[in-house]
Amino acid sequence: MRHTLHHVFVQGAFALVAACGLAAPAWAQTAPNAAEIARYQGLHAAAHSGDVARIAQLVAVRADLNVRDANGRTPVHVATFARQRGAIQALAKAGAQLELLDQDRYDAVTIASVADDEESLRLLLSLGASAKLVTSRYDGTALIAAAHLGHDGVVRQLITAGAPLDHVNNLHWTALIESIVLGNGGPRHQATLRALLAAGASTRLTDRQGNTPLAQAKAHGYAEMVQMLEKAGAR
C-alpha cells in the first residue's frame, strides 16, 4: 500500500512539474553563457570579472547601474551568478537596485540561494536585499527554491532574514512541502525540514490534492521526516 501511495505522489508531483515546464532537478535559471559573456561591455563585463576598479570608473561617469542584458540581467545578477562578491558590494554601495528581477523572474537573492552560495547570500542580505520577494515563473520564493534543493544553510539564512515561511506557489506547494515532495529524504533535506519546523512553518497546509506534509512523507517512505513531523504535531 505504501509503495502504491508513494508512486501516486511521485508521479503526480513530477507530472505537475512537467506540465508547468519545469525541469525536475532544479528551478530553471539562465546564467550568462560563454557567448553572452564574450559580448559583455561596461558594467556587465566588470561585474562578471569582478573588476571593482572598473566599476568605480563607470560609476564616476554615471553609468546605468541597473542596465539590462538580453536576458534582463543587471550587473548585480551577473556578479551573483559569477560569485563576484566584491563586485556585488561595489555595485550595491554605488546604488544598484538589489531587488530587480531578470527575464526569468529571479532576483539576486534567489540566484544565490539556488546556487547554494551562502557567502554571496549573506552579503546580499547584509546590503539590504530582501528575502521576501515573489520570484520565478512559479510565483515562488528563494526559500521555496532552497528547500526544494535541500540547501539547508541557505534556508536557515533566509528564515532569519524574514522569508515568508508559508508562501504557496502556483504549484500549490510551500517550502515545507517542497522539502519533501521534491527532495530525496537525505540529510540535507531533513535539516531543511527541521529548520522550517523549528521556525514554525505550517504542517497543515496541503498540496492541491489535499495531501498533508505528513501524508507525503509517509508516501515517500521518508521515516526520519515522518518522525520530525509527528513530533511537531503534524497530522
Side-chain angles (χ1 to χ4, degrees):
M1 180 65 173
R2 188 177 74 175
H3 175 76
T4 301
L5 285 175
H6 173 76
H7 179 77
V8 169
F9 274 125
V10 171
Q11 293 302 314
F14 283 102
L16 182 57
V17 167
C20 292
L22 177 64
W27 300 127
Q29 290 189 0
T30 309
N33 60 37
E36 289 176 304
I37 292 167
R39 291 193 297 268
Y40 276 160
Q41 298 179 355
L43 283 174
H44 282 106
H48 182 267
S49 64
D51 189 340
V52 174
R54 180 60 177 156
I55 290 172
Q57 292 173 350
L58 291 165
V59 168
V61 296
R62 299 186 180 182
D64 181 359
L65 294 171
N66 303 308
V67 62
R68 306 275 189 162
D69 69 8
N71 203 63
R73 306 181 200 90
T74 67
V76 168
H77 294 140
V78 171
T80 305
F81 274 120
R83 303 191 181 210
Q84 294 288 2
R85 299 177 190 104
I88 293 171
Q89 183 157 16
L91 289 162
K93 294 295 187 183
Q97 295 180 51
L98 301 179
E99 299 180 8
L100 297 178
L101 306 183
D102 68 8
Q103 185 171 284
D104 297 318
R105 292 183 56 201
Y106 289 101
D107 67 324
V109 164
T110 310
I111 291 167
S113 297
V114 168
D116 202 15
D117 183 358
E118 292 192 47
E119 290 186 41
S120 294
L121 176 61
R122 188 173 295 109
L123 174 61
L124 285 160
L125 294 172
S126 75
L127 292 168
S130 175
K132 301 178 181 181
L133 300 184
V134 174
T135 65
S136 86
R137 72 191 72 172
Y138 314 104
D139 297 329
T141 61
L143 181 63
I144 289 177
H148 161 200
L149 295 163
H151 294 166
D152 53 304
V154 167
V155 165
R156 287 189 289 271
Q157 278 199 59
L158 293 170
I159 289 171
T160 299
L165 293 174
D166 297 322
H167 178 85
V168 180
N169 66 15
N170 61 23
L171 301 177
H172 215 272
W173 290 336
T174 63
L176 190 147
I177 290 172
E178 290 217 3
S179 73
I180 301 167
V181 300
L182 293 183
N184 60 16
R188 295 201 69 188
H189 282 97
Q190 291 173 33
T192 293
L193 177 60
R194 188 177 299 110
L196 290 165
L197 290 171
S202 175
T203 61
R204 297 181 180 274
L205 292 173
T206 68
D207 66 15
R208 190 169 278 119
Q209 290 72 42
N211 302 305
T212 66
L214 179 58
Q216 292 161 339
K218 287 180 176 179
H220 284 72
Y222 295 158
E224 294 86 354
M225 287 183 159
V226 169
Q227 291 175 3
M228 280 188 277
L229 288 160
E230 289 180 337
K231 186 176 181 180
R235 297 178 181 273

